[in-house]
Amino acid sequence: MNDSKIVVALDYANTKEALSLVNQLDPTQCKLKVGKELFTAAGPALVEQLVAKDFKVFLDLKFHDIPNTVKKACKTASDLGVWMLNVHASGGSAMMQAALEGVDQSHENPYLIAVTVLTSMNQPTLSETGIQTPVQEQVLRLATLTQTAGLHGVVCSAQEATLLRQHINPDFLLVTPGIRPANTSKDDQSRIVTPPDALKLGASYLVIGRPITQAEQPQKALEAILQSIQ
Ligand code: C5P
């Protein structure tokens, strides 16, 4: 059984590099996230390989298209046997409901979550897209839209978790990147939160990349994080 709250981000350029890390990890102690770079290079074959190794896989492709296209993409992604997949909430409720229909057409039963406002965006970059709403208000608006559409959760920063937990159901999943164990490098992340703090703030799953993937002993680094949140 794998009820680990840690999702290791496989930010690699090819199958070989990804598998050399994966082969050092225990599938009962973490889940894996495959994003656009690795998926574009390695394709569905790698995802199926990871699933066959008993890893739970979050396919982070952030679909955003017309509802019919997103529905079919979500059905196809679900058929790969992934544990979680995602879309952009800014595609609107019709697109998110179509995504859910696609997931439901599959025999698999993955979680479907949404991205609200990309955490790389700030007020000026949000405004230049025509949205004058304050960022936090827009995050809450899109998270609420996601919940109403029937999806299972959102990706958000741990800082946003507090606000979201005040307004949404307790079982709505909050999947948070930007996590750094105490005494590790921030890399290019600016607002970071430690694993125990992120869970205290209401996060359901923690997406962690470099503190594990760049560690000399990745499985040891994973175990230390698990111990810190026990
Ligand atoms: O190495 P690190 O722990 O910073 O990796 C975090 C992962 O989470 C990366 O895959 C990154 O793209 C992703 N992510 C993020 N911040 C967001 C959304 C996703 O760091 N707001």
Side-chain angles (χ1 to χ4, degrees):
M1 190 176 123
N2 176 348
D3 59 358
S4 176
K5 293 185 180 310
I6 308 299
V7 183
V8 179
L10 292 182
D11 291 322
Y12 291 106
N14 58 57
T15 299
K16 192 170 165 229
E17 284 176 26
L19 285 182
S20 97
L21 183 273
V22 167
N23 288 335
Q24 300 176 61
L25 297 175
D26 179 346
T28 66
Q29 299 199 321
C30 67
K31 298 170 169 64
L32 302 174
K33 180 172 88 69
V34 174
K36 285 186 170 115
E37 181 192 19
L38 183 58
F39 188 79
T40 303
L46 174 64
V47 174
E48 287 172 325
Q49 234 178 310
L50 299 174
V51 173
K53 286 176 181 287
D54 283 338
F55 282 98
K56 291 192 173 178
V57 177
F58 170 18
L59 189 60
D60 179 21
L61 297 181
K62 302 185 182 72
F63 295 129
H64 188 176
D65 210 314
I66 60 171
N68 187 51
T69 301
V70 169
K71 177 176 170 177
K72 290 178 176 173
C74 286
K75 153 114 178 41
T76 306
S78 301
D79 286 344
L80 294 174
V82 300
W83 161 74
M84 177 179 275
L85 68 157
N86 62 359
V87 298
H88 269 284
S90 51
S93 55
M95 190 206 79
M96 287 196 278
Q97 280 158 8
L100 205 50
E101 281 172 31
V103 167
D104 287 344
Q105 281 177 2
S106 169
H107 296 301
E108 309 289 337
N109 200 15
Y111 287 123
L112 178 65
I113 66 169
V115 175
T116 58
V117 179
L118 290 167
T119 50
S120 54
M121 295 192 88
N122 54 23
Q123 204 61 55
T125 55
L126 188 62
S127 295
E128 74 185 9
T129 69
I131 296 165
Q132 309 303 337
T133 314
V135 174
Q136 293 302 298
E137 203 178 313
Q138 183 68 359
V139 167
L140 182 57
R141 182 192 190 109
L142 289 175
T144 306
L145 194 68
T146 301
Q147 180 172 262
T148 306
L151 276 65
H152 306 109
V154 291
V155 180
C156 67
S157 72
Q159 281 92 350
E160 291 162 357
T162 309
L163 170 75
L164 294 180
R165 279 283 170 239
Q166 286 165 359
H167 294 89
I168 53 163
N169 295 338
D171 59 352
F172 196 65
L173 300 177
L174 301 182
V175 178
T176 61
I179 306 294
R180 287 293 177 271
N183 306 319
T184 58
S185 164
K186 284 173 71 172
D187 303 306
D188 56 355
Q189 298 279 11
S190 49
R191 290 171 298 135
I192 52 168
V193 174
T194 65
D197 285 348
L199 293 175
K200 271 181 226 142
L201 292 168
S204 315
Y205 293 104
L206 314 181
V207 174
I208 305 180
R210 287 160 290 183
I212 293 172
T213 61
Q214 304 301 309
E216 256 175 51
Q217 294 180 294
Q219 174 64 28
K220 283 245 160 67
L222 169 62
E223 283 166 13
I225 292 168
L226 288 171
Q227 213 156 35
S228 75
I229 58 174
Q230 250 175 12

